[in-house]
């Protein structure tokens, strides 16, 4: 009867960009890869499976994260990208057979590159990004103020569970950064507040495009620019055009899991 090998799995340490926490991960094993493959069949469950996979791959974590719920509530979505990079790097090392379309000649280039050569970590230097809020008035919808936040993994799961049937997964993802809407009320000194997830989604769907763009730009300036970037310099094999290309970490991770 097989009782398990005594060999130690390879490990890799990462620093999260938004909460400045240190995590050490071990490589995935075959059983865990197979489990992740099944999550691709249920798109609404991908985040949940990925979070559990990352947590179970941790061999060391900060003292304030003692259980899975702590991990969900104290790690942001941007932090998860860094942890996922660590898992990708220690498990696969290379980004293999990755198809990139040249921006000039539109021909497809298949590339292989070390994951570590693409990595950049833009770290938040403030105190506590989890409690930070940013409010401003919408440029088009007058009398309405929006408050933004940096969502955690817990916020993401709650948003997916509580979203209305008319909201796509993309809209759920877009609205996770919104903490609340406040609308001026002519009959009262207090504004009307929309803070329930379904209310936020409905309010967001009613906005004109310029308001949506203003929300996205404000989020990036205050929160979103702090995170990991995966970029590589592509020299097109067909026309020799040079350009810097962003690599989608999540898509590439699941591609590697599925093809392994």
């Amino acid at each position: 009867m097989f009782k398990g090998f005594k060999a130690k799995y390879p490990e890799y340490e990462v620093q999260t960009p938004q909460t400045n926490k240190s995590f050490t991960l071990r490589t995935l094993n075959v059983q865990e890869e197979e489990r992740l493959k099944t999550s691709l069949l249920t798109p609404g469950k991908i985040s949940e499976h990925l979070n559990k996979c990352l947590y179970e791959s941790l061999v060391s974590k900060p003292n304030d994260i003692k259980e899975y719920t702590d991990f969900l509530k104290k790690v942001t979505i941007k932090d998860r990208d860094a942890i996922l990079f660590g898992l990708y790097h220690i498990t696969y090392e290379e980004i293999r057979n990755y198809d990139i379309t040249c921006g000039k000649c539109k021909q497809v280039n298949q590339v292989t590159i070390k994951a570590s050569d693409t990595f950049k970590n833009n770290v938040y230097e403030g105190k506590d990004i989890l409690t930070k809020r940013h409010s401003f008035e919408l440029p088009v919808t007058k009398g309405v103020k929006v408050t933004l936040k940096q969502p955690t993994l817990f916020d993401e799961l709650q948003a997916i569970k509580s979203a209305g049937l008319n909201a796509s997964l993309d809209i759920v993802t877009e609205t996770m950064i919104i903490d609340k809407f406040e609308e001026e009320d002519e009959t009262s000194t207090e504004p009307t507040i929309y803070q329930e997830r379904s209310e936020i989604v409905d309010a967001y769907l009613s906005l004109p495009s310029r308001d949506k763009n203003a929300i996205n730009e404000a989020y990036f300036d205050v929160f979103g620019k702090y995170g990991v970037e995966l970029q590589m310099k592509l020299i097109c094999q067909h026309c020799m055009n040079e350009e810097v290309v962003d690599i989608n970490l999540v898509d590439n991770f699941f591609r590697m899991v599925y093809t392994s």
Side-chain angles (χ1 to χ4, degrees), residues 133 146-149 175-181 194-197 200:
R133 297 292 184 269
V146 61
T147 299
L148 306 181
K149 65 177 182 179
T175 55
M176 285 188 301
I177 64 174
I178 300 174
D179 184 54
K180 62 182 176 180
F181 285 104
Y194 302 103
Q195 202 162 16
E196 294 295 326
R197 246 328 98 183
I200 288 174

Side-chain angles (χ1 to χ4, degrees), residues 122-136:
N122 303 312
V123 178
Y124 176 70
E125 296 180 352
K127 289 184 179 180
D128 185 2
I129 204 167
L130 296 180
T131 59
K132 185 179 180 67
R133 297 292 184 269
H134 176 69
S135 301
F136 67 97

Side-chain angles (χ1 to χ4, degrees), residues 93-141:
E93 187 176 356
E94 291 183 327
I95 297 172
R96 298 195 301 269
N97 303 325
Y98 188 59
D99 290 340
I100 301 176
T101 301
C102 173
K104 184 177 181 181
C105 72
K106 308 304 179 185
Q107 295 293 315
V108 175
N109 296 260
Q110 192 172 86
V111 301
T112 295
I113 187 172
K114 279 189 175 181
S116 56
D117 291 342
T118 70
F119 182 77
K120 180 182 178 183
N121 201 359
N122 303 312
V123 178
Y124 176 70
E125 296 180 352
K127 289 184 179 180
D128 185 2
I129 204 167
L130 296 180
T131 59
K132 185 179 180 67
R133 297 292 184 269
H134 176 69
S135 301
F136 67 97
E137 290 192 3
L138 295 176
V140 179
T141 308

